[in-house]
Every structure is written in structure tokens, then in C-alpha cells.
Amino acid sequence: MTLACAAALSLGTYSGGLRIMRTLGRRVFPLDPPHGFVAESVASSVLYVTAFAVKAPISTTHVITAAIMGVGATRRLSAVRWGIARDIVLGWVLTFPAAAAVSAAVFFGISALT
């Protein structure tokens, strides 16, 4: 079971990772090395504090996306492509109900077979 989970996570990262990096690094806000450094530093600080001080789980993707938007907004608000940011947030919001629906369908499908 652990190997199946690791394989699924690896395949998901392999298939979508480059697209996500391209979207965050070029489409939301065109990152240059100083902006990328600041975004990564802020994201790692937030992840560290929430993991060790607050002891709360947090999504690394959400944190780095927010950090990149924040770095872009420091240049000027219009530097961030807010339409793309809206699409990303919409995807996050729709992921939870979609995952619940798929999980329920698989559960009831397997339950019907047993």
C-alpha cells in the first residue's frame, strides 16, 4: 500500500510538476532570481513556523503560490496576473468537493461488490 501511494504521488508530480512550476514562475508573476529567493525564503519560514510552533498541517503549494503573488504585488499590484491567480484558487476550492465525490463513488462501488 505504501509503494502504491508513493508511486501515485511520484507520477502526479512527474506529470504535473513542470506545468505547475511554469505557471507559478512565469504566468502568475515573472520571477527573477532575487524575487524567487524572497518567495522561497518567506514560504519556508511560514512552513517552518506552522509545522513546529503551531503544529498545524499546511499546503506547500498554497504557501508558495501566495508568496509568489505577494512578491509580485510588492513591485506593483498590476504586475500579478490576478486572473490566473483566481483560476488557481478556484481549482483549490473545487478540489475538495471533487475529491470527496470521487472517494464516495469508489467507496460505494467497492461496497456494492463486497
Side-chain angles (χ1 to χ4, degrees):
M1 190 60 138
T2 302
L3 287 175
C5 181
L9 288 170
S10 298
L11 287 173
T13 301
Y14 176 74
S15 65
L18 183 61
R19 184 173 176 220
I20 291 168
M21 288 187 298
R22 190 175 301 131
T23 298
L24 291 177
R26 294 184 188 157
R27 292 185 67 207
V28 172
F29 172 73
L31 284 175
D32 54 0
H35 288 109
F37 176 77
V38 170
E40 289 287 338
S41 298
V42 167
S44 63
S45 300
V46 168
L47 291 168
Y48 182 82
V49 168
T50 56
F52 293 109
V54 182
K55 295 185 182 2
I58 190 167
S59 169
T60 55
T61 306
H62 289 77
V63 172
I64 192 63
T65 303
I68 290 171
M69 285 187 246
V71 165
T74 61
R75 178 169 286 178
R76 64 183 186 282
L77 285 176
S78 62
V80 178
R81 294 186 184 130
W82 294 108
I84 294 171
R86 184 195 67 230
D87 293 343
I88 291 170
V89 172
L90 183 63
W92 290 340
V93 170
L94 294 177
T95 297
F96 290 110
V102 170
S103 298
V106 169
F107 174 78
F108 290 121
I110 291 173
S111 295
L113 295 174
T114 59

